[in-house]
Amino acid sequence: MYKHILIPTDGSELSKKAVDQGIGLAKALNAKVTAVTVSEPFHIFAVDPGMVTDTPDEYKKRIAAVTAKYLKASKDAATDGQRALRCGVGRTRAPL
């Protein structure tokens, strides 16, 4: 049926439940799993406090750390000694 399942995560409690459910489904179907997290690009004019106080480099470092944390949590949840979770990073496009 399904051979590859994409699971988005943002580190929230709801997304942790989605990761667990997606991994459970993948194990039941013997499917591959890819976890992905998406972050907004840095904007000079923004309402997100992190974007207002950060420089572009600081924002990039902060987002990289948060992304690594979310994907590590997903990978740890999926690793059962037999299969490892493939993790990816996505970025949204700037608005047109």
Side-chain angles (χ1 to χ4, degrees), residues 39-51:
S39 60
E40 293 183 53
F42 183 84
H43 292 287
I44 294 172
F45 299 105
V47 293
D48 178 8
M51 286 187 200

Side-chain angles (χ1 to χ4, degrees), residues 4 6-7 18 72:
H4 197 152
L6 177 67
I7 305 173
K72 183 182 180 319

Side-chain angles (χ1 to χ4, degrees), residues 41 63 75:
I63 292 300
K75 192 170 193 171

Side-chain angles (χ1 to χ4, degrees), residues 4-92:
H4 197 152
I5 299 172
L6 177 67
I7 305 173
T9 181
D10 63 4
S12 67
E13 288 303 314
L14 185 58
S15 120
K16 288 176 187 175
K17 290 179 183 179
V19 168
D20 291 340
Q21 291 294 315
I23 290 168
L25 177 63
K27 287 179 180 178
L29 299 173
N30 198 29
K32 293 180 185 177
V33 175
T34 298
V36 64
T37 186
V38 180
S39 60
E40 293 183 53
F42 183 84
H43 292 287
I44 294 172
F45 299 105
V47 293
D48 178 8
M51 286 187 200
V52 173
T53 60
D54 287 346
T55 65
D57 287 338
E58 290 171 337
Y59 178 74
K60 202 180 278 188
K61 287 177 187 174
R62 185 170 56 84
I63 292 300
V66 169
T67 297
K69 177 183 170 185
Y70 297 160
L71 295 180
K72 183 182 180 319
S74 297
K75 192 170 193 171
D76 290 348
T79 304
D80 63 1
Q82 299 174 353
R83 123 184 355 103
L85 176 70
R86 182 176 158 223
C87 295
V89 178
R91 289 191 171 72
T92 59

